[in-house]
Amino acid sequence: MNKTRILLADDHALVRRGLRLILDAEPDLEVVAEAADGAEAVAAADETEVDLAILDIAMPRMTGLQAAREISRRAPGIRILILSMYDNEQYFFESLKVGASGYVLKSVADQDLLEACRATMRGEPFLYPGAITALIRDYLQRDREGERIPESILTPREEEIVKLIAEGNSAKEIAETLVISVKTVDRHRANILQKLGMRDRLELTRYAIRAGLVEP
């Protein structure tokens, strides 16, 4: 079994130790790096082979949100979970904006953290019950105020690229079809994978079928 390699960042050593005990006790999870602040977390993500970063939201030098944004920019393939003491809608939405796949409350981390790690590595978001309520409330409020609710998190150009990828085109062929550079295609592909929490062409093809972009 390939273990999920985890970067654990929290400015309290006792908290890190407790969370590490929970994570390392699982056969499919392994903490391979620790950090005491956001800047250390970014450096550790650069220097260590990591699949998942678990970041405390409130850390010195650089917050968990700032670190998440920087890690997402430098290494889009690393999945991110935010840890927080606060059941706070604003923090939750900010976490989603910076690329986190989930938001875990420290008060129930012993119950939720393992499930959150596994859901994130499956490409699924992890939302605690209060966060789901916040999302529904936000959706309904935007709808009442007449704000356009996007049907897809992908831009039209990104949807074009997903369709072409799902149809089996190479990056070079996509570049020629859309009259853009291969480097631009690669950048779009990385952004798409990050947005959708996916890793490869197979997952993108499944998404394209579900979204009606290609015929099954």
Side-chain angles (χ1 to χ4, degrees), residues 139-158:
Y139 180 97
L140 293 174
Q141 182 178 341
R142 288 163 65 190
D143 191 42
R144 275 196 303 273
E145 292 172 356
E147 185 179 333
R148 182 178 172 273
I149 296 168
E151 293 175 6
S152 170
I153 61 171
L154 299 183
T155 66
R157 174 47 60 98
E158 287 170 342

Side-chain angles (χ1 to χ4, degrees), residues 14 48 80 84 114 134 144 156 165 205-206:
L14 279 174
T48 314
I80 295 172
S84 178
L114 300 179
R144 275 196 303 273
I165 289 172
T205 302
R206 287 175 182 150

Side-chain angles (χ1 to χ4, degrees), residues 56-72:
D56 179 26
I57 201 166
M59 292 188 287
R61 291 176 69 203
M62 185 185 275
T63 68
L65 294 176
Q66 290 171 317
R69 187 181 294 111
E70 189 62 19
I71 290 169
S72 291

